[in-house]
Every structure is written in structure tokens, then in C-alpha cells.
């Protein structure tokens, strides 16, 4: 920026701008001899032409000062140089920005698009029911969480399909055995193979196997209803002491036949106030299944211990038998899984389904002093305390 100081009459008193060829007010060019730009005086005509803005080579700003004017002048060539410099830097910034955008797009493609495409392929496997072929997609963030969920879902579906196949196989076996006995004795009686007392014995076998077959079908039907139907389960507050008294009364003939004792112990001072939210008949069946299972394995005694844990009621059923084999524990509540002296392998599976429909859970384990223990944890409609 250059400065020109002039008095009230337009005479230049001081200047830093060298004298250049300028346009006069009349539009004529005033030439400056070469080499004399600094030595020649700056006439009022030169100043007036400059201040009027007729010379497009400069940007001019005129300010009044005491006893004169101050004219600030910036050559357009300097502005052009600045614009070129800024334009060059802008090109550099745009170039660097373009490279960063390209790199970012590559990162997004690698971190986002590719995992989504791979996840889509795994979902196609789920759609085609090829659950065992689903692989876990390595990814981070929300996509990684979705990929993990899909992987776990495929695993659960694969296990479910295998369990269903095993269920069908076991069900076929369990149903085939009594049917073979019934058919064999019926054919023998029809063909006269059995005579006299053997006919009576054959009929007893047919009746017994028919009852067993009916029980298996009933339990399979109940399991299917518990898995799929909502209206089959009607929860309501149930007095626990009344429910356990009914359980003991119904299991008593089996206890007498096996010469076993059953003790019921309450940790609460007022057991009459204990209630659980459940379908009474279904929960009674679950308790009878577990207590009957304990009676088949106990040597002398069975104990029912009732207590509370926060807002849950805990029922522990223990016996003094030989305990549960360790290899059987992980599969104990699966369908058609039978231990020694088991019946058809559906009782404990039904008990688990009923307890879970009540909003609780059932667990099994072995006691340190020997014998097995089954624990029911059921929600209470009235919070403890």
C-alpha cells in the first residue's frame, strides 16, 4: 500500500507512490520520462485523476486529514498476485481434500460396505436354512454387533433344528416300543399262540403299554402347547404352602411304596404368606415330576426347603440318592433324556417348560454330602420385605 499526502489545494506534500503514467480528468495520458518516476513532482492533475478512480491499475481510498487529504493506493498488480497465490493454495487444498475423500471412501468401503455385503451373504444362508454354514463377520461398531447377533441366531437355529430332529427320532423310538408290544401280543392272541393264563398276561401287557403310550402322547402334546400356545397357561397368585401340601399328598402313595420320608422346611416364619405367580395346575405337575424323580432315586429321605431371595421364592428339592452323572447334567432338561430308572425322558423337560412360562427358572446339581438337588426360582407377586 502506498500513501499520498496533499494540502487543501491538491498540492502533493509527500508521497511514497512513484509517479506513473496516469490518466487526466480529460482522459488523456500523462507520460513520465523513463528513470524520473521518483524525481518528478506529482501534479494536482495527476492526483485528481488518481482520486477520481479513472485509473483502473489502482485501488484508491481517500481520507480527509487536517488541512488536506490522505490518499491510500494499492496497485491492482499486487491484488492480482495475491489472488493468484490464494488460487494456487486453494488448488492445493482441493487436491489434498480430494485425496482425503478418496482415502475416506476406501476406508468406508472396507469398514462398512464390505462387511455389509458379507453379512448379506450370511443372511442368505439363514434364509436357505444352512445355519451350520453361517460364519461370523469381523467388523466393529453397530455392524459388528449385528453380525454377532446373526451368528448367534444361526447357532441357536442350528441347535434347534438338531434338537427337533433328535426329538422326532426319540419320539419315534419311544412310540414304537409300546406299539410293537401291543401289536405282538394282539397278533399272538388272535392267532391262538397264547392260551389260558398267557392270554390274560398278554392283555395286561397290552393295557399297560396302551397306558404308557397314552402318557407319552399326552406329555408330548403338553410340551407342544407350552411351546406354542399362549392361552394354555393362565398365571395367577398361588399360595405356596397349599400347593406344596397338595404335592406331598399326591406323591404320598409312591413314598409309602418305597418306604421314603419327605420333610418340608420353611425358612420364613409365616409360610402362609408366601405366594407365587403361576398356573396352579401346571406348576403342581412340575413339582410332582421333580419330586417323583427324586423318589425314584432316593434311598431313605427327600427334603423340600422353601425360602426367599429378593423378589423370588426358592424351592429346593433334594434327595439322598446317588446323584446325577456329571455327563448328564448339561442335557438333563432336554426331551427324551433319561437317567437310570427314568421313565420316558419328558418329565423334567415339561417341568422346565412350565417353570420358564411362570417367569422363573429351574436348576439341577449334586450336593456335597451326596444326592441330587433341584431348585425352582419363581417370581412372587408380593415383593419381599
Amino acid at each position: 500500500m502506498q500513501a499520498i499526502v496533499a494540502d487543501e489545494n491538491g498540492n502533493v506534500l509527500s508521497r511514497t507512490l512513484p509517479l506513473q503514467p496516469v490518466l487526466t480528468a480529460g482522459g488523456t495520458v500523462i507520460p513520465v520520462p523513463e528513470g524520473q518516476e521518483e524525481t518528478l513532482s506529482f501534479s494536482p492533475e495527476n492526483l485528481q485523476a488518481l482520486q477520481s478512480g479513472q485509473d483502473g491499475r489502482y485501488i484508491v481510498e481517500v481520507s480527509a486529514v487536517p488541512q488536506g487529504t490522505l490518499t491510500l493506493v494499492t496497485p491492482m498488480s499486487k491484488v492480482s498476485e495475491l489472488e493468484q497465490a490464494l488460487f494456487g493454495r486453494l488448488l492445493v487444498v482441493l487436491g489434498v481434500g480430494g485425496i482425503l475423500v478418496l482415502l475416506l471412501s476406501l476406508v468406508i468401503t472396507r469398514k462398512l460396505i464390505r462387511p455389509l455385503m458379507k453379512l448379506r451373504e450370511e443372511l442368505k444362508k439363514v434364509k436357505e436354512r444352512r445355519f451350520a454354514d453361517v460364519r461370523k463377520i469381523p467388523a466393529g461398531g453397530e455392524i459388528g454387533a449385528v453380525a454377532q447377533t446373526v451368528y448367534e441366531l444361526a447357532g441357536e437355529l442350528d441347535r434347534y433344528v438338531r434338537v427337533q430332529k433328535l426329538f422326532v427320532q426319540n419320539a419315534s423310538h419311544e412310540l414304537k416300543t409300546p406299539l410293537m408290544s401291543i401289536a405282538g401280543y394282539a397278533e399272538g392272541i388272535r392267532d391262538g399262540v397264547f392260551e389260558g393264563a398267557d392270554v390274560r398276561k398278554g392283555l395286561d401287557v397290552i393295557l399297560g403299554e396302551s397306558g404308557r403310550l397314552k402318557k407319552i402322547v399326552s406329555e408330548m402334546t403338553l410340551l407342544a402347547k407350552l411351546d406354542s400356545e399362549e392361552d394354555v397357561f393362565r398365571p395367577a397368585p398361588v399360595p405356596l404352602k397349599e400347593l406344596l401340601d397338595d404335592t406331598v399328598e399326591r406323591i404320598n402313595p409312591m413314598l409309602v411304596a418305597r418306604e421314603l420320608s419327605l420333610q418340608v422346611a420353611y425358612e420364613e416364619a409365616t409360610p402362609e404368606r408366601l405366594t407365587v405367580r403361576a398356573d396352579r395346575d401346571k406348576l403342581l405337575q412340575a413339582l410332582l415330576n421333580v419330586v417323583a424323580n427324586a423318589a425314584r432315586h432316593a434311598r431313605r429321605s427327600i427334603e423340600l426347603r422353601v425360602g426367599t431371595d429378593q423378589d423370588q421364592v426358592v424351592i429346593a428339592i433334594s434327595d439322598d440318592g446317588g446323584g446325577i452323572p456329571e455327563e448328564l447334567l448339561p442335557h438333563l432338561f432336554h426331551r427324551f433324556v433319561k437317567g437310570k430308572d427314568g421313565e420316558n425322558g419328558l418329565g423334567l423337560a415339561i417341568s422346565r417348560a412350565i417353570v420358564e412360562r411362570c417367569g422363573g427358572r429351574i436348576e439341577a446339581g449334586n450336593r456335597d454330602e451326596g444326592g441330587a438337588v433341584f431348585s425352582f426360582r419363581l417370581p412372587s407377586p408380593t415383593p419381599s420385605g
Side-chain angles (χ1 to χ4, degrees):
M1 183 178 294
Q2 307 293 335
I4 302 174
V5 180
D7 59 15
E8 296 177 350
N9 298 321
N11 298 316
V12 177
L13 303 178
S14 175
R15 63 185 172 86
T16 60
L17 177 69
L19 187 62
Q20 301 287 338
V22 297
L23 296 174
T24 64
T28 60
V29 178
I30 303 175
V32 179
E34 185 177 355
Q36 299 184 22
E37 294 86 352
E38 299 291 340
T39 59
L40 293 178
S41 62
F42 207 100
S43 67
E45 291 80 5
N46 299 134
L47 181 61
Q48 184 181 2
L50 188 63
Q51 290 179 342
S52 64
Q54 296 178 3
D55 195 340
R57 297 172 298 171
Y58 300 97
I59 299 176
V60 181
E61 176 69 26
V62 181
S63 302
V65 297
Q67 300 179 353
T69 59
L70 172 63
T71 304
L72 301 177
V73 180
T74 299
M76 286 297 296
S77 59
K78 299 294 184 182
V79 176
S80 299
E81 292 177 3
L82 181 61
E83 289 179 346
Q84 292 177 0
L86 290 176
F87 182 71
R89 293 184 181 181
L90 180 61
L91 290 178
V92 173
V93 171
L94 291 177
V96 173
I99 294 174
L100 291 177
V101 170
L102 178 60
L103 293 176
L104 182 60
S105 65
L106 292 176
V107 172
I108 293 176
T109 301
R110 184 173 182 180
K111 297 292 185 180
L112 182 64
I113 305 301
R114 288 183 181 176
L116 285 175
M117 293 176 65
K118 293 181 179 179
L119 185 59
R120 184 181 64 179
E121 296 300 322
E122 301 305 317
L123 288 172
K124 286 183 179 178
K125 296 178 183 178
V126 175
K127 179 182 178 181
E128 296 169 359
R129 303 178 65 87
R130 295 187 291 124
F131 307 122
D133 297 335
V134 175
R135 297 292 178 262
K136 183 178 178 180
I137 303 299
E142 296 299 327
I143 296 179
V146 173
Q148 179 68 26
T149 302
V150 171
Y151 178 72
E152 293 174 356
L153 173 65
E156 289 298 323
L157 290 173
D158 184 54
R159 283 190 289 272
Y160 176 78
V161 170
R162 286 190 281 109
V163 167
Q164 291 301 312
K165 290 180 179 180
L166 184 62
F167 172 76
V168 172
Q169 294 173 358
N170 291 332
S172 301
H173 174 74
E174 292 293 332
L175 295 174
K176 187 184 298 183
T177 302
L179 286 174
M180 289 177 60
S181 298
I182 293 172
Y185 276 97
E187 290 176 359
I189 294 173
R190 183 196 63 186
D191 297 337
V193 176
F194 300 107
E195 296 179 355
D198 291 336
V199 174
R200 177 78 179 184
K201 181 180 178 182
L203 292 174
D204 290 340
V205 171
I206 291 174
L207 289 174
E209 291 299 304
S210 298
R212 180 185 168 202
L213 187 62
K214 180 180 178 181
K215 183 178 180 181
I216 293 175
V217 172
S218 298
E219 291 183 343
M220 290 174 61
T221 303
L222 176 59
L223 271 174
K225 288 182 177 180
L226 289 172
D227 288 341
S228 59
E229 297 183 16
E230 294 294 333
D231 56 353
V232 75
F233 201 83
R234 299 178 178 86
V238 178
L240 189 60
K241 188 175 187 305
E242 176 185 326
L243 182 67
L244 293 181
D245 290 344
D246 198 359
T247 302
V248 173
E249 181 178 349
R250 295 198 181 195
I251 204 70
N252 191 58
M254 186 176 183
L255 299 175
V256 173
R258 293 176 177 268
E259 299 181 352
L260 299 172
S261 64
L262 191 152
Q263 302 294 328
V264 181
Y266 294 92
E267 296 179 1
E268 299 293 320
T270 54
E272 294 80 6
R273 297 180 57 186
L274 290 176
T275 58
V276 294
R277 182 169 182 79
D279 185 314
R280 188 186 187 283
D281 293 338
K282 301 294 188 302
L283 184 56
L284 176 61
Q285 182 174 355
L287 288 168
L288 287 172
N289 289 345
V290 175
V291 176
N293 183 76
R296 283 193 295 270
H297 296 87
R299 295 190 178 98
R300 292 181 298 276
S301 64
I302 301 172
E303 182 184 32
L304 273 69
R305 182 169 294 276
V306 184
T308 58
D309 183 11
Q310 297 180 356
D311 293 337
Q312 291 184 323
V313 175
V314 181
I315 307 172
I317 303 169
S318 56
D319 61 70
D320 60 352
I324 305 170
E326 292 296 328
E327 66 275 8
L328 192 61
L329 274 174
H331 317 287
L332 189 62
F333 295 102
H334 292 179
R335 302 172 186 184
F336 294 110
V337 174
K338 294 188 293 184
K340 184 180 178 182
D341 299 328
E343 291 186 336
N344 52 40
L346 291 175
L348 293 180
I350 291 174
S351 296
R352 183 184 69 171
I354 292 172
V355 172
E356 289 179 351
R357 285 294 297 269
C358 293
R361 70 177 189 270
I362 183 173
E363 301 170 343
N366 291 313
R367 302 191 303 167
D368 294 336
E369 59 270 28
V373 57
F374 289 81
S375 298
F376 288 67
R377 303 184 70 89
L378 300 166
S380 174
T382 54
S384 60

